[in-house]
Amino acid sequence: MTSNSNNSNKVTQVGYTRLGKSGLQISKIILGTMSYGTKEWAEWTVGQEECSEHVKFAWEHGINTFDTADMYSQGVSEVMLGKALKQLNVPRDNFVILTKCFQPVKAGPPGGGRPPMTDKELDEQGFVNQRGLSRKHIFDAVQASLKRLDVEYIDVLQCHRFDYNTPIEETMQALHDVVQKGWVRYIGMSSCFAHQFWKMQTYAIHNRLTPFISMQNFHNAAYREEEREMVPTLKEFGVGMIPWSPIARGFLARPLGEQGSTTRGGGADAVFKRFNSTELESTREINRRIEKVAKETGHSMAQIAYAWSMAQPFVDAPIIGSTKLSHLEEAIEATQIKLTDEQINSINEVYTPQAIRGHA
């Protein structure tokens, strides 16, 4: 891939890797698009202009892989990403689009606030069959995402969460069928328990259906519970891992005394607080260790957190988000940072077990 920059020979290129044992090549960092959307959905989101600017910058630096979900800003994130990619004026097969289905998306014009999340409230407001991993919802969600993204196919369709109310036989057959129809090229899973992933994957394999090639889960230096069961499971199946929130929702991007300095970090949207076990002293010490390595190396704390994630042998590519172009530039530059074993061990050695997070 070549940059549109006049100084293309000096532009950092992130490079590529295969996603698990599949033949699909993705960039070594993936641009996540949850931060592109509407203020009604979340006040920390930014609009189309910033989205297009960031996607263009990412593309020029070798990022060919973009992650979104139908629920982000109630469909607006997919619309924005689709427009931004069209503005690049490059062939569709040059980039990789990942999206997700499971959560309800409001009917009517895209955008607006989030729908109620309890089953009772959803049913009362007309969201019957508009959530989960039933055959009906998977088919409807894929067709809606294709329309919003304005593309003919999705490269990787991911199940956003595990569905406790639909038989996995129905889910895996439906996922196989949307691949057979040509709407989707590959399928992946997002945050769930290892035993749930195992059941879904083995059912697909034993019944000659399309298996998962990727797992998008919550993993970073401050939260490593996925290494106990999920990581060995992924290794067993040859499935790639593309963790979300490598900077722990911003907790690893700034010193402890500055944790309330951003809209999102300050708790304007409390839904994200449940993903950070910041009350643990070991977690706070990890923050201090990352700050120390950052000062020693002359990099930002976010860059050290990204570099730590990319140094893990089981991580194919972390998903990074940005509301400012400088954040994206930081992440791209982090692909060139090689932490020493001593630096990695200094961060790792203070970690202690904690409650499972990220599956809600």
Side-chain angles (χ1 to χ4, degrees):
M1 184 183 303
T2 58
S3 167
N4 294 327
S5 169
N6 293 329
N7 297 315
S8 59
N9 60 321
K10 297 181 180 179
V11 173
T12 299
Q13 296 292 302
V14 301
Y16 305 97
T17 186
R18 293 193 182 277
L19 184 52
K21 66 178 182 181
S22 77
L24 182 64
Q25 293 200 69
I26 60 172
S27 45
K28 290 185 177 179
I29 54 175
I30 299 169
L31 180 59
T33 65
M34 187 168 68
S35 55
Y36 310 133
T38 63
K39 300 296 184 183
E40 293 85 358
W41 191 75
E43 62 179 289
W44 41 260
T45 57
V46 296
Q48 184 67 60
E49 183 179 350
E50 291 89 345
C51 174
S52 296
E53 181 185 25
H54 294 189
V55 168
K56 181 175 184 292
F57 189 84
W59 173 256
E60 291 176 344
H61 290 76
I63 297 176
N64 74 336
T65 310
F66 304 88
D67 175 75
T68 187
D70 55 7
M71 70 163 289
Y72 296 165
S73 285
Q74 296 298 288
V76 172
S77 171
E78 288 184 321
V79 172
M80 286 185 175
L81 176 61
K83 288 181 179 179
L85 291 173
K86 280 287 183 358
Q87 291 168 0
L88 294 177
N89 196 29
V90 296
R92 167 67 182 90
D93 56 4
N94 281 28
F95 48 83
V96 178
I97 296 176
L98 294 73
T99 194
K100 312 178 197 73
C101 69
F102 177 86
Q103 305 288 7
V105 178
K106 282 188 175 178
R114 306 181 187 194
M117 298 306 289
T118 68
D119 286 343
K120 184 176 184 295
E121 290 175 319
L122 287 167
D123 288 346
E124 289 174 348
Q125 296 196 24
F127 288 97
V128 179
N129 291 319
Q130 295 180 41
R131 62 190 188 275
L133 299 177
S134 69
R135 182 178 184 85
K136 174 175 173 54
H137 183 59
I138 288 173
F139 271 61
D140 291 345
V142 169
Q143 290 180 308
S145 287
L146 289 171
K147 184 176 180 180
R148 286 189 291 263
L149 288 161
D150 193 18
V151 294
E152 294 182 353
Y153 66 92
I154 294 161
D155 292 288
V156 185
L157 174 68
Q158 303 159 100
C159 301
H160 212 153
R161 291 295 185 269
F162 181 80
D163 187 348
Y164 289 89
N165 299 312
T166 301
I168 61 172
E169 297 87 348
E170 177 178 338
T171 295
M172 299 314 293
Q173 182 67 58
L175 292 172
H176 176 73
D177 289 346
V178 296
V179 172
Q180 293 298 301
K181 283 181 173 294
W183 299 345
V184 171
R185 296 292 187 256
Y186 301 89
I187 61 172
M189 188 64 196
S190 188
S191 298
C192 68
F193 291 100
H195 73 89
Q196 295 166 336
F197 182 88
W198 185 280
K199 289 178 182 177
M200 297 175 82
Q201 187 77 335
T202 54
Y203 181 83
I205 293 170
H206 291 164
N207 290 278
R208 298 181 181 274
L209 303 177
T210 304
F212 295 129
I213 68 164
S214 64
M215 163 55 70
Q216 182 176 154
N217 49 353
F218 186 51
H219 181 269
N220 50 67
Y223 180 83
R224 296 169 51 199
E225 296 307 301
E226 297 291 294
E227 296 175 30
R228 301 185 189 281
E229 295 187 4
M230 182 58 77
V231 168
T233 299
L234 300 180
K235 184 178 180 181
E236 178 74 19
F237 287 117
V239 170
M241 182 165 145
I242 47 175
W244 53 272
S245 197
I247 58 174
R249 295 298 189 195
F251 175 72
L252 299 178
R254 59 191 64 86
L256 292 174
E258 300 176 17
Q259 288 300 309
S261 62
T262 66
T263 300
R264 188 160 163 180
D269 193 345
V271 70
F272 295 115
K273 282 191 170 182
R274 69 175 181 265
F275 297 128
N276 289 335
S277 184
T278 56
E279 70 278 4
L280 290 175
E281 177 54 30
S282 57
T283 301
R284 298 171 71 82
E285 180 60 22
I286 288 168
N287 177 286
R288 298 185 192 103
R289 299 285 179 102
I290 287 179
E291 182 183 11
K292 182 174 182 292
V293 174
K295 289 179 177 178
E296 291 173 349
T297 59
H299 299 297
S300 70
M301 288 181 64
Q303 287 178 318
I304 299 304
Y306 288 136
W308 181 93
S309 181
M310 288 182 277
Q312 306 311 303
F314 48 82
V315 170
D316 285 11
I319 298 171
I320 61 99
S322 63
T323 55
K324 298 179 181 179
L325 198 61
S326 59
H327 297 165
L328 178 55
E329 188 173 8
E330 267 193 324
I332 291 169
E333 291 173 353
T335 64
Q336 307 302 307
I337 299 172
K338 304 298 180 184
L339 299 178
T340 66
D341 290 343
E342 182 180 4
Q343 290 167 337
I344 293 173
N345 290 336
S346 73
I347 296 169
N348 289 348
E349 65 185 4
V350 293
Y351 185 84
T352 59
Q354 54 189 274
I356 298 295
R357 297 172 184 268
H359 295 182

